[in-house]
Amino acid sequence: METYFITFRSVTFAQRGERALQRQGISCYMMRTPRWMEERGCGYALSLQRGQEAVEILNREGISWRKLYWKGRDGSIQEVGL
């Protein structure tokens, strides 16, 4: 199954993002950002299945996020440039 990860700089932004996405019917869950995914290593991420749509919602709601990653069916992970 394909999975997306949206990273945030703080737990507050991740929580805001989680609430905004859930209000729009996008299922997601919050987690600590893995070290390899963030250069600063102190962020949070949302794991979900509808990454592009989620980013559009976050932008529309004015919620700051850092990066979007995509995990393919084969386990490979890459940053999605938007």
Side-chain angles (χ1 to χ4, degrees), residues 8-49:
F8 299 84
R9 68 181 173 105
S10 72
V11 67
T12 302
F13 283 108
Q15 289 170 333
R16 288 179 187 165
E18 182 179 41
R19 285 191 298 269
L21 295 177
Q22 289 176 344
R23 279 194 305 270
Q24 296 297 318
I26 295 180
S27 178
C28 60
Y29 73 91
M30 189 172 54
M31 57 187 259
R32 289 296 305 241
T33 303
R35 267 185 209 269
W36 60 266
M37 207 180 276
E38 279 294 322
E39 59 276 354
R40 294 189 186 101
C42 60
Y44 287 81
L46 295 180
S47 175
L48 47 100
Q49 310 236 305

Side-chain angles (χ1 to χ4, degrees), residues 36 68-72 75-81:
W36 60 266
L68 174 65
Y69 292 92
W70 171 77
K71 181 178 180 181
S76 63
I77 298 177
Q78 57 186 304
E79 184 177 345
V80 177

Side-chain angles (χ1 to χ4, degrees), residues 57-71:
I57 291 168
L58 295 174
N59 288 340
R60 190 172 57 239
E61 295 281 330
I63 299 169
S64 179
W65 56 278
R66 284 188 171 167
K67 295 181 181 178
L68 174 65
Y69 292 92
W70 171 77
K71 181 178 180 181

